[in-house]
Amino acid sequence: SQKIEQNSEALNIQEGKTATLTCNYTNYSPAYLQWYRQDPGRGPVFLLLIRENEKEKRKERLKVTFDTTLKQSLFHITASQPADSATYLCAPPDSNTGKLIFGQGTTLQVKP
Amino acid sequence: GAGVSQSPSNKVTEKGKDVELRCDPISGHTALYWYRQSLGQGLEFLIYFQGNSAPDKSGLPSDRFSAERTGGSVSTLTIQRTQQEDSAVYLCASSSRSGTSGQETQYFGPGTRLLVL
């Protein structure tokens, strides 16, 4: 069955460093993948979408890569700030229904 | 409205009672989703409405759960005879998705925190 895996352990980094979060998927090849941010007590907020024919996508300090060979997407935040602290969810679509499948999320903590 | 709204924001109920959770999607969005998120867990898909099509109920965990969407807009998720394991945050999302190949962006509401005592 289609499976999405994100590192369940929280990622703690120092302000100014680059944060890198990983999303691995198995048993299928999604046509695209989305990344969302979720703050405590709030619903997820869309950040970026990357398609299978795009190796990299950027938005301000955010960068997403999509490696269809490794079946992996990496989410980078450069020059991280304490305000970047949140849980980040990857979400590719189900190959049969097209509905988004949300990963469990990785919590990022940026320390000042 | 400007975004997806949900009510109530918090609900405490006793085991065995029925609860209704409401979602107001973004105006014009044809697709509406309900998810459940337990503490520290990911989003669990519950049900999906798309336009006038029959809803996709494949994620509903039991027949105690049901949902409807009236007039293609507001949706209500009903949980009958609530159990303690139903305690979670229930999130609603809407999108302008059409068909199964659309690369939709989902817009989420703030959620309803349900606690079953």
Side-chain angles (χ1 to χ4, degrees):
Chain A
S1 62
Q2 300 166 35
K3 192 175 180 182
I4 312 302
E5 290 183 347
Q6 293 186 258
N7 193 343
S8 58
E9 289 185 15
L11 177 63
N12 294 296
I13 65 169
Q14 205 66 35
E15 181 176 9
K17 300 292 186 183
T18 296
T20 298
L21 288 71
T22 305
C23 176
N24 296 300
Y25 54 92
T26 54
N27 297 329
Y28 80 125
S29 299
Y32 66 93
L33 188 147
Q34 299 186 17
W35 282 89
Y36 287 75
R37 168 182 171 144
Q38 186 173 23
D39 291 281
R42 309 287 291 273
V45 175
F46 170 77
L47 295 175
L48 282 167
L49 180 153
I50 186 167
R51 298 178 179 83
E52 62 180 341
N53 61 348
E54 298 175 318
K55 291 288 171 65
E56 182 180 295
K57 198 78 165 282
R58 290 177 184 263
K59 179 182 177 183
E60 297 173 352
R61 294 183 295 109
L62 308 181
K63 184 179 83 171
V64 172
T65 62
F66 196 3
D67 190 324
T68 55
T69 301
L70 292 179
K71 293 187 179 296
Q72 180 181 81
S73 175
L74 298 179
F75 178 85
H76 306 272
I77 306 176
T78 58
S80 60
Q81 303 168 2
D84 296 326
S85 299
T87 297
Y88 293 86
L89 309 169
C90 71
D94 181 278
S95 60
N96 295 318
T97 66
K99 295 196 302 284
L100 291 180
I101 306 172
F102 285 86
Q104 192 169 351
T106 298
T107 297
L108 171 67
Q109 186 71 37
V110 181
K111 299 182 179 180
Chain B
V4 178
S5 60
Q6 293 187 244
S7 60
S9 53
N10 292 282
K11 177 72 177 179
V12 180
T13 190
E14 293 179 349
K15 178 181 173 181
K17 301 284 189 182
D18 297 352
V19 295
E20 284 190 352
L21 312 180
R22 177 186 168 106
C23 173
D24 280 272
I26 292 173
S27 178
H29 278 189
T30 56
L32 187 147
Y33 300 79
W34 282 99
Y35 297 90
R36 179 169 69 176
Q37 187 173 35
S38 300
L39 189 62
Q41 301 298 310
L43 275 68
E44 175 189 4
F45 166 77
L46 297 178
I47 189 169
Y48 161 57
F49 296 89
Q50 172 59 55
N52 296 320
S53 303
D56 176 353
K57 305 178 182 180
S58 60
L60 295 178
S62 76
D63 58 7
R64 296 186 295 104
F65 288 72
S66 63
E68 62 178 22
R69 188 179 185 190
T70 54
S73 181
V74 172
S75 177
T76 302
L77 177 68
T78 301
I79 308 174
Q80 295 178 310
R81 305 180 301 282
T82 52
Q83 304 294 312
Q84 288 181 333
E85 59 263 29
D86 299 334
S87 297
V89 176
Y90 289 82
L91 290 160
C92 173
S94 71
S95 79
S96 56
R97 179 188 194 209
S98 58
T100 58
S101 61
Q103 296 175 354
E104 63 172 334
T105 295
Q106 294 188 17
Y107 297 84
F108 285 82
T112 293
R113 283 144 201 81
L114 174 66
L115 177 61
V116 182
L117 301 176

